[in-house]
Amino acid sequence: MTRSLSRSELRQLVDSLVLDWNDMTSHSKAMVTLYCTAQHYLDGKVPWGLTFEVDRWPDYTAVLWTPDKKDFSVPAFVEDDVFLYWTSEDGLRQLLTLTSVDWTRQLLLLAFPLSGLSVLKDHLTKQGVPCPSETDIYPCDTAYYLHETCPSLEKLGRTDAKVTIAPLKPDHSQLVNRTWRHGGTPEAEEQIHYQISTFPSACVYDQDGNPVSWILFNYYGSQGLGYTLLQHRGKGYFQLASKYLISICLQKGFLPFLFIEDYNEPSRTIHRKLGYSWVEAGRCAYTFLNRNKSS
């Protein structure tokens, strides 16, 4: 059987995850999301229940975490979320087999390392569950900002001195929801409102105080939902917002990182200019299981 960690055991697990910023390529991207999610949960920034299951304790080799199905306060926008981290494929296989997760329901595996895809598909086949198709898998690079400081905002060479930079406001949730590629639903708007209200964000405002470019922070630690209104592109505003958020993250001791989907070459170009880096070992995917199936 797997073991569900108590709060004190979860603290021990977090303390065992030592992130070396000078050698992030040696860390699994799932380890970083585990560290961030668990830390935010322990700090009270994740207001719903989470369960953290391990293959064994205390010498664990695989961890699965997901919203607590017994907690009726879990919001709809996270109820399908599942994360996995492992250092041993045997541990991963054991955890997939013995976990309390119902693999027949609709699920979203976030930042799932592509190195484990064959193990996952083998498990699903044995369970009689359809394997995700290519259209259910959104491959990403994990981009890290590994510098101790952020270049001065004045070095961006922006042409419009009348803009201001500040966090987004909760009442901007509707605008962000309309422009997000995966948004457009009440659940997505609720998620965005939570993110803006709880975590750092950055927004460039025009001279009338209207948002023109922004980027947010997810509960599992990554930056995301970045967007610039079409009529304001090409002015360096997204770089301005990104550098502002990088600075905030560094001040708070957060590691700035994000997932760049394969289709998003413009984002790849911008973040390379900002000083982010990524390697093949950091490949992962947002993977849907039993998509469009009612939970």
Side-chain angles (χ1 to χ4, degrees):
M1 292 293 291
T2 62
R3 180 188 182 103
S4 292
L5 299 183
S6 66
R7 198 172 185 86
S8 62
E9 289 170 337
L10 181 59
R11 171 56 67 189
Q12 293 178 49
L13 183 146
V14 170
D15 291 342
S16 75
L17 299 173
V18 179
L19 302 183
D20 182 358
W21 285 33
N22 296 317
D23 189 22
M24 285 305 298
T25 56
S26 69
H27 298 312
S28 163
K29 73 294 305 170
M31 174 181 169
V32 181
T33 55
L34 170 58
Y35 178 88
C36 293
T37 308
Q39 188 64 64
H40 289 154
Y41 179 65
L42 291 169
D43 289 345
K45 294 180 179 178
V46 178
W48 57 86
L50 289 173
T51 59
F52 292 80
E53 295 181 76
V54 294
D55 59 327
R56 60 193 188 205
W57 185 258
D59 55 338
Y60 65 91
T61 66
V63 187
L64 181 151
W65 62 107
T66 189
D68 186 351
K69 60 180 181 294
K70 298 178 182 177
D71 183 354
F72 295 106
S73 70
V74 171
F77 63 82
V78 298
E79 64 182 1
D80 299 333
D81 291 1
V82 177
F83 296 84
L84 283 151
Y85 162 66
W86 66 91
T87 57
S88 159
E89 284 197 354
D90 288 339
L92 174 61
R93 290 189 181 92
Q94 178 180 340
L95 193 57
L96 290 173
T97 302
L98 300 178
T99 179
S100 60
V101 170
D102 178 5
W103 296 104
T104 65
R105 64 184 290 264
Q106 180 172 286
L107 298 170
L108 171 59
L109 275 59
L110 289 96
F112 183 78
L114 291 180
S115 60
L117 198 55
S118 60
V119 175
L120 173 66
K121 289 183 175 180
D122 181 60
H123 167 72
L124 294 174
T125 299
K126 291 178 179 177
Q127 296 289 317
V129 176
C131 291
S133 66
E134 288 187 6
T135 58
D136 294 323
I137 301 174
Y138 294 81
C140 308
D141 283 311
T142 309
Y144 296 107
Y145 186 86
L146 301 177
H147 311 282
E148 294 182 359
T149 60
C150 182
S152 172
L153 296 177
E154 284 73 24
K155 293 182 180 180
L156 281 174
R158 60 186 187 276
T159 58
D160 187 352
K162 296 181 180 180
V163 299
T164 57
I165 321 167
L168 279 163
K169 300 175 182 177
D171 57 8
H172 294 139
S173 302
Q174 191 174 48
L175 171 63
V176 177
N177 186 36
R178 287 200 308 267
T179 56
W180 184 28
R181 182 170 182 254
H182 302 293
T185 65
E187 292 79 14
E189 185 173 341
E190 181 185 4
Q191 172 185 345
I192 294 163
H193 188 279
Y194 158 71
Q195 289 177 230
I196 294 174
S197 302
T198 309
F199 299 106
S201 65
C203 180
V204 175
Y205 296 89
D206 66 16
Q207 58 185 347
D208 297 319
N210 299 309
V212 298
S213 183
W214 54 82
I215 185 167
L216 281 69
F217 194 89
N218 293 306
Y219 78 93
Y220 47 90
S222 74
Q223 299 173 27
L225 282 72
Y227 190 83
T228 302
L229 297 178
L230 293 176
Q231 65 270 32
H232 293 283
R233 294 182 180 178
K235 301 177 182 179
Y237 290 163
F238 185 74
Q239 293 187 56
L240 189 60
S242 294
K243 289 195 174 186
Y244 178 88
L245 187 55
I246 289 171
S247 297
I248 296 299
C249 286
L250 293 177
Q251 289 172 20
K252 293 180 176 293
F254 298 157
L255 169 66
F257 75 98
L258 69 155
F259 302 109
I260 305 177
E261 292 184 48
D262 283 0
Y263 80 91
N264 201 343
E265 194 57 37
S267 178
R268 204 177 307 277
T269 300
I270 290 173
H271 286 94
R272 186 177 287 112
K273 290 180 180 178
L274 286 166
Y276 283 82
S277 58
W278 50 90
V279 296
E280 185 66 25
R283 297 281 290 165
C284 62
Y286 286 73
T287 305
F288 289 88
L289 302 183
N290 309 304
R291 201 172 192 177
N292 301 320
K293 181 177 180 180
S294 173
S295 298

